Amino acid sequence: GGGGGEGGEGGGGGGGGVVDLQHPARPFDGAEQNRMQDQLRTNLTSDEISTRSGGSAGQVAYVEGWRVIAKAQEIFGFDGWSSRILQLQREYEDHDSKNGRWTYSYSATVRISLRNGTFHDEVGSGCKVDKDRGKAIENARKEAVTDAMKRGLRLFGPALGLSVYDKDYVTEAKRAKPAAAAAPAALPPPGPPGPPQLRRHAQFGDAGHAQFGD
């Protein structure tokens, strides 16, 4: 699966390669290769793309971490890929004595390896502010590792996050989403015919009794 152990804090940068020699390769067969290529080339749907405020940059498109992991499991299989933390380093620490808040920033380097030995290394960052010092450290480290993992997975194709770097595609997807939401819902298919409608004969009154003349 996409698990990995946490490395010690230290310096270092990311990179890339063809074969991860620390893991014995198990090649994908031709059918698996073709299927994965087709899936990896598929762009993310508008529902899979989230947005957040990027400050002066406006709205920034991104993919949530859980979603990228789920798609990697779907495409590569639970035993077809793995992630490993190569570096985890504290970049910044600050304590504001006025409001009691701690600020921590971390960087992480994560390697994403496939079963056949192909891998990508990427660097991510995380910054958190909290009055609880432990929470600030924990969440900044988690964010850095998740960011690095997502950045590594995107290098495998549009389906794993590369789509959000295509500004034209993201703009098109955003336009399509409200249009789809505004479209009228399809009418349900007609149900089975009901029982035949009975008509009251003219000679009967409202109470259903026969009316007799004098």
Side-chain angles (χ1 to χ4, degrees):
E6 186 168 296
E9 297 184 8
V18 177
V19 177
D20 183 355
L21 297 178
Q22 295 191 21
H23 295 83
R26 292 187 294 126
F28 297 104
D29 63 34
E32 288 176 315
Q33 290 264 22
N34 292 334
R35 175 189 57 78
M36 289 189 298
Q37 286 288 351
D38 289 341
Q39 289 181 286
L40 289 170
R41 280 195 290 258
T42 304
N43 284 320
L44 294 166
T45 66
S46 57
D47 290 333
E48 294 173 321
I49 300 174
S50 302
T51 57
R52 59 177 171 78
S53 174
S56 59
Q59 291 294 304
V60 177
Y62 73 101
V63 189
E64 294 177 277
W66 70 266
R67 193 183 294 279
V68 178
I69 293 173
K71 288 189 75 72
Q73 301 280 58
E74 176 187 342
I75 295 171
F76 301 130
F78 75 93
D79 63 345
W81 73 289
S82 64
S83 66
R84 182 157 59 96
I85 299 171
L86 303 179
Q87 302 283 349
L88 185 57
Q89 176 175 316
R90 185 171 65 243
E91 302 289 349
Y92 176 77
E93 174 187 356
D94 183 63
H95 181 245
D96 190 328
S97 58
K98 293 182 180 179
N99 59 26
R101 293 182 179 276
W102 291 89
T103 301
Y104 278 90
S105 176
Y106 275 80
S107 66
T109 303
V110 171
R111 171 169 294 179
I112 305 296
S113 301
L114 299 188
R115 194 183 76 191
N116 64 356
T118 303
F119 72 93
H120 289 295
D121 296 347
E122 259 292 1
V123 178
S125 61
C127 182
K128 290 296 180 181
V129 180
D130 203 298
K131 287 188 176 181
D132 185 324
R133 185 181 185 184
K135 283 291 184 185
I137 294 173
E138 176 185 0
N139 291 333
R141 287 158 66 99
K142 285 181 178 178
E143 186 175 83
V145 171
T146 301
D147 187 45
M149 181 186 63
K150 286 165 51 178
R151 291 175 63 84
L153 283 168
R154 76 187 163 99
L155 297 175
F156 288 98
L160 294 180
L162 193 59
S163 298
V164 300
Y165 291 84
D166 184 342
K167 294 182 179 179
D168 291 337
Y169 174 74
V170 171
T171 301
E172 184 90 9
K174 286 180 181 177
R175 287 177 183 164
K177 190 171 185 177
L187 293 175
Q197 298 296 316
L198 301 178
R199 295 184 179 180
R200 188 182 304 281
H201 195 276
Q203 77 181 82
F204 294 100
D206 292 337
H209 297 291
Q211 302 296 313
F212 298 97
D214 294 330

